[in-house]
Amino acid sequence: KNEVEQSPQNLTAQEGEFITINCSYSVGISALHWLQQHPGGGIVSLFMLSSGKKKHGRLIATINIQEKHSSLHITASHPRDSAVYICAVETSGSRLTFGEGTQLTVNP
Amino acid sequence: EAGVAQSPRYKIIEKRQSVAFWCNPISGHATLYWYQQILGQGPKLLIQFQNNGVVDDSQLPKDRFSAERLKGVDSTLKIQPAKLEDSAVYLCASSYPNTGELFFGEGSRLTVL
């Protein structure tokens, strides 16, 4: 079993839909990162969480430390949100373990 | 603020040849990571530096991969000799220690024929 599990692996939505991507982990962490990767490889950091909830524009990230679970929500999805979303957990010594990613496709 | 710079962006070599990738992190970022990302998978850590010291290289195939970060600034990752299974994108990232936000370079895409 991987230390970081994401679901779903693939997600297709219509423009405007509310999207949720989930991340579960099995180790104690100091922080959790949500990252966005567009075709061509560039990765952008969206959020870093250690507790609670953060919001940036149409993106919301939540984390439940007791349940070892985090969610990334996208409100009013748009085709430009199409990308791979990656969850990564940070453990002692700033060591990062990545999930396999969720491929999101938003159709117009 | 300049981002993380990587070169080359693309490299095609034959198996058993050698290749080197270069990374210049954001100024002041003490932590530098090299990741290998095979198509369809999440990034896998190869090596993590704190300044010019190695924090974690447990997943670096040391028989063929080497990395250094002289003077605690830029870094090089070398593969010698390359195998077909080394075809991947090699990502460099940097961050301030213990403050979190990660900054990634565009990656170096290696194809081994």
Side-chain angles (χ1 to χ4, degrees), chain A residues 72-86:
Chain A
L72 176 68
H73 305 286
I74 305 176
T75 61
S77 60
H78 189 276
R80 64 175 174 267
D81 297 327
S82 297
V84 175
Y85 292 84
I86 302 172

Side-chain angles (χ1 to χ4, degrees), chain A residues 8-21 58 72-83 85 102-108:
Chain A
Q9 282 188 303
N10 294 282
L11 180 57
T12 301
Q14 288 300 121
E15 184 173 356
E17 286 185 355
F18 180 84
I19 287 162
T20 296
I21 299 170
R58 295 180 295 105
L72 176 68
H73 305 286
I74 305 176
T75 61
S77 60
H78 189 276
R80 64 175 174 267
D81 297 327
S82 297
Y85 292 84
T102 295
Q103 172 70 62
L104 171 66
T105 303
V106 182
N107 293 318

